[in-house]
Amino acid sequence: METKYIFVTGGVVSSLGKGIISSSLARLLLSRGYRVTIQKFDPYINIDPGTLNPYEHGECYVTADGHEADLDLGHYERFTNIQTSRANNVTTGRIYQSVIDKERRGDYLGKTVQIIPHITDEIKRCVKKLGNTGKYDFVITEIGGTVGDIESTPFLEAVRQLRWELGKNALCIHLTYVPYLKAAKELKTKPTQHSVKMLQQAGIQPDILILRTEKELPSSMCRKVAQFCNVSPDAVIQSLDAPTIYEVPLMMHAQGLDKIVLEKTGLNADGEPDLSGWNHFLHKLETATEEIRIGLVGKYVELQDAYKSISESLSHAAAYCDKKLRLIYIHSEKLTEEDVDEKLREMDGVIIAPGFGQRGIEGKFVALKWCREHDIPTFGICLGMQCMVIEYARNVLGMEGANSTEMDHATPYNVIDLMEEQKSISNLGGTMRLGAYECELAPDSLAAKAYGSTKIRERHRHRFEFNDNFRDRFEEGGMRCVGRNPETGLVEVVEVPGKRWFIGTQYHPEYQSTVLHPNPLFVAFIKAAIAYEHERLAIHND
Ligand code: GLN
């Protein structure tokens, strides 16, 4: 069949959840047997979000092919279980870079290079790139930002042109917000009407409207919106606040979103999507009542989107273990020897978060020392793993002042050091060790037991690594290097065998945990936390 292109735009305000709506629609179409991919177009000038502070746009996600991407791609993968790539996330910066490169090469020789047609043509080329591979029946394109933003204008113009060119093979879903005014006790559709007008001014007539709301909309109101906005009444769908994002596909299906999309793109809309695996997960997620308490020690705790993939991975793992996740964010900058006991005492397991730079690092060492001495299931991820190594060096192996050269160039024990290939690189953007790499695990390690395999592949994002010169001292002192890259020998996993569960990974397992395939290491960590909780209860009840 010819590839169908679905554009998802947003109006009124940002943060309405275009990513979740796109992912939910993809889930429904996949469950009906179609091949689907989702891509995100971000209107900012950065080439990718890799250089952005997490306070700006939340977590930076990493694709298997080593692209630093918007966190929405994490949602896409978690919902669809299908890997994304560099082609799935394009920014204004990338579009301009490629047009300017072509101009310098002389590709436009003689022509004035302009937003229309050159920038819009480049956007259109990127929109169709995935469709042209022949691998997808549906390409869902989420346009970042809000209609009316100056930055997103060229993207909307490209969508307008594409809809004209593609005819029935393209449609536009517009997501807006219907606020509830408490004082007036009224839901207001005016912002939606304005936002659709603005889209129409850009030459785009939405086919489907999805209205985000905190209160159920009466059907008369949906009909009114339909009438004002030239949309058929059955194509006005409401998206009420959901107890979990994983319920949204079901809410959309109940209102026929998948059916309407199929009908409007000329496909057979009979039959039902097979959501059995999804429902199995959701049932577990929603019926679990016993809590499992996990502490996440990091420096971006004010903004929980900064650790999105970790919190979602934990929630998947907890659900499959029939537990309700209670994730407690612990600010690493505020954690001290004096209050660590009080802050960590109630935890069943502790995660030491990834990150960059000095800020908050001492709190991570304090947490790690406490966790190690109290033998609590502990999971260090990337910088968290590096901190595990440093803390062990300082407090167990007697290497006073041990550090990573990221924090201290002059450390007498550079147990974490810059990777050889990083030493000559000065640019910050896109130059880390990025993407999926193989790792070989020691057969008798806890990590191998968790994965049920000694050969794994996980995604990376870092510049520094375990310094192999110190390996013997660590191994003799009780910390084992149990995972290695088979080609380079880089240490990817460490563990302390005498402990209940004390594992650090140089890679980020959270980038590869999906609803249908939770990451085995997170599941093993939650299981260890459950076992520890049981042990504590048993002692307590004695
Ligand atoms: N800052 C560390 C490095 O670059 C860890 C990075 C991370 O946690 N993602 O190696």
Side-chain angles (χ1 to χ4, degrees):
M1 74 179 241
E2 284 178 313
T3 306
K4 313 285 182 189
Y5 291 87
I6 299 174
F7 299 98
V8 180
T9 57
V12 185
V13 286
S14 58
S15 305
L16 289 180
K18 287 196 294 279
I20 302 298
I21 293 293
S22 305
S23 304
S24 300
L25 174 60
R27 179 72 262 155
L28 294 174
L29 294 170
L30 278 164
S31 302
R32 283 175 174 269
Y34 292 103
R35 301 167 307 159
V36 188
T37 189
I38 320 175
Q39 57 188 356
K40 169 113 193 247
F41 281 48
D42 278 308
Y44 52 70
I45 314 284
N46 304 61
I47 298 290
D48 59 48
T51 55
L52 288 174
N53 184 323
Y55 288 120
E56 297 275 320
H57 281 272
E59 158 191 289
C60 174
Y61 188 73
V62 178
T63 59
D65 66 344
H67 179 63
E68 294 176 290
D70 185 81
L71 62 75
D72 270 324
L73 271 77
H75 289 307
Y76 303 167
E77 291 204 11
R78 289 189 282 273
F79 275 65
T80 63
N81 207 37
I82 294 172
Q83 287 194 348
T84 53
S85 69
R86 177 173 298 272
N88 292 73
N89 192 195
V90 178
T91 65
T92 293
R94 278 257 300 280
I95 299 283
Y96 271 78
Q97 189 179 48
S98 133
V99 168
I100 290 168
D101 285 348
K102 284 183 192 164
E103 188 274 335
R104 292 289 83 183
R105 275 204 311 266
D107 292 8
Y108 306 115
L109 215 52
K111 288 264 177 286
T112 308
V113 180
Q114 295 182 297
I115 293 186
I116 302 170
H118 302 102
I119 294 296
T120 44
D121 278 354
E122 182 61 20
I123 295 173
K124 283 159 69 181
R125 193 184 67 79
C126 290
V127 168
K128 290 205 245 173
K129 198 171 170 193
L130 286 167
N132 289 341
T133 59
K135 288 202 278 192
Y136 304 105
D137 302 319
F138 283 92
V139 175
I140 300 176
T141 305
E142 179 189 342
I143 308 287
T146 317
V147 170
D149 294 348
I150 291 177
E151 320 189 284
S152 57
T153 312
F155 290 97
L156 294 181
E157 170 58 15
V159 172
R160 184 193 69 75
Q161 293 180 21
L162 280 167
R163 290 204 61 207
W164 179 252
E165 286 165 28
L166 294 164
K168 229 181 155 65
N169 288 335
L171 64 82
C172 174
I173 299 178
H174 189 53
L175 177 64
T176 74
Y177 180 53
V178 177
Y180 177 73
L181 297 188
K182 256 201 203 122
K185 292 200 178 60
E186 266 186 283
L187 285 154
K188 292 292 184 190
T189 64
K190 191 71 88 194
T192 294
Q193 295 175 39
H194 280 303
S195 147
V196 171
K197 285 247 153 60
M198 225 179 297
L199 198 58
Q200 287 166 339
Q201 264 166 26
I204 300 170
Q205 170 60 49
D207 301 277
I208 298 171
L209 290 177
I210 299 185
L211 312 180
R212 279 285 280 124
T213 171
E214 283 147 41
K215 275 201 178 284
E216 175 126 27
L217 305 177
S219 54
S220 58
M221 190 167 272
C222 293
R223 277 201 303 278
K224 178 173 144 195
V225 170
Q227 204 169 36
F228 271 110
C229 302
N230 298 344
V231 174
S232 56
D234 64 339
V236 177
I237 287 172
Q238 57 176 306
S239 173
L240 256 171
D241 281 357
T244 142
I245 53 172
Y246 298 115
E247 221 176 82
V248 179
L250 303 184
M251 291 164 56
M252 292 299 110
H253 176 60
Q255 295 174 80
L257 176 64
D258 44 335
K259 231 177 150 93
I260 297 165
V261 165
L262 292 174
E263 280 164 3
K264 286 194 187 290
T265 50
L267 295 169
N268 185 347
D270 293 345
E272 285 291 314
D274 174 8
L275 291 165
S276 46
W278 193 267
N279 283 329
H280 170 72
F281 164 77
L282 202 58
H283 179 75
K284 281 188 167 287
L285 183 72
E286 290 182 340
T287 52
T289 50
E290 280 174 36
E291 280 186 351
I292 187 82
R293 279 158 305 184
I294 303 295
L296 176 75
V297 180
K299 65 175 166 179
Y300 297 117
V301 292
E302 308 88 342
L303 181 85
Q304 300 184 358
D305 266 1
Y307 300 117
K308 196 75 200 161
S309 292
I310 294 180
S311 62
E312 294 306 310
S313 302
L314 286 167
S315 130
H316 304 156
Y320 281 108
C321 294
D322 298 309
K323 288 279 178 180
K324 191 181 166 84
L325 174 68
R326 173 127 170 261
L327 186 55
I328 298 118
Y329 293 88
I330 298 158
H331 205 312
S332 54
E333 253 185 313
K334 298 188 184 144
L335 198 60
T336 62
E337 296 276 5
E338 287 68 49
D339 63 10
V340 63
D341 187 74
E342 182 199 329
K343 284 182 175 159
L344 296 187
R345 196 169 44 207
E346 299 291 311
M347 302 301 142
D348 302 315
V350 172
I351 295 222
I352 311 294
F356 294 83
Q358 174 70 36
R359 186 167 71 88
I361 202 94
E362 292 303 325
K364 287 185 174 169
F365 296 138
V366 168
L368 278 163
K369 178 165 185 281
W370 194 91
C371 290
R372 185 175 50 71
E373 289 176 350
H374 291 78
D375 197 1
I376 290 190
T378 309
F379 192 178
I381 300 177
C382 206
L383 180 63
M385 169 269 198
Q386 298 175 352
C387 289
M388 246 177 189
V389 170
I390 296 165
E391 191 280 325
Y392 206 81
R394 288 183 186 178
N395 299 329
V396 180
L397 306 179
M399 300 183 203
E400 202 180 317
N403 216 329
S404 161
T405 48
E406 180 181 5
M407 319 302 162
D408 177 7
H409 276 292
T411 167
Y413 301 102
N414 54 338
V415 290
I416 304 290
D417 205 348
L418 205 56
M419 278 183 272
E420 207 45 53
E421 68 264 32
Q422 289 285 334
K423 290 189 176 155
S424 57
I425 297 174
S426 57
N427 271 4
L428 290 186
T431 54
M432 279 185 255
R433 181 179 182 221
L434 291 166
Y437 287 89
E438 308 255 317
C439 171
E440 247 164 45
L441 298 170
D444 57 345
S445 63
L446 270 184
K449 192 172 156 219
Y451 284 98
S453 167
T454 55
K455 281 193 184 1
I456 57 158
R457 223 179 133 74
E458 293 276 14
R459 299 183 200 171
H460 293 249
R461 183 176 187 246
H462 59 106
R463 292 193 172 84
F464 294 81
E465 58 156 327
F466 180 90
N467 183 346
D468 221 25
N469 297 336
F470 290 97
R471 196 194 50 213
D472 290 347
R473 284 185 73 174
F474 276 90
E475 300 242 326
E476 281 156 21
M479 180 177 264
R480 275 185 78 199
C481 303
V482 296
R484 278 182 176 277
N485 178 296
E487 273 166 33
T488 57
L490 290 178
V491 172
E492 317 282 39
V493 188
V494 296
E495 48 182 70
V496 178
K499 301 281 166 205
R500 286 190 172 88
W501 206 95
F502 203 81
I503 299 186
T505 63
Q506 185 57 81
Y507 55 76
H508 292 257
E510 71 273 20
Y511 294 144
Q512 291 193 149
S513 187
T514 71
V515 165
L516 298 180
H517 290 284
N519 187 290
L521 210 48
F522 278 95
V523 176
F525 170 64
I526 293 290
K527 280 187 180 155
I530 295 171
Y532 173 59
E533 188 211 6
H534 287 171
E535 262 181 69
R536 278 196 308 165
L537 279 178
I539 294 168
H540 191 76
N541 292 340
D542 250 0

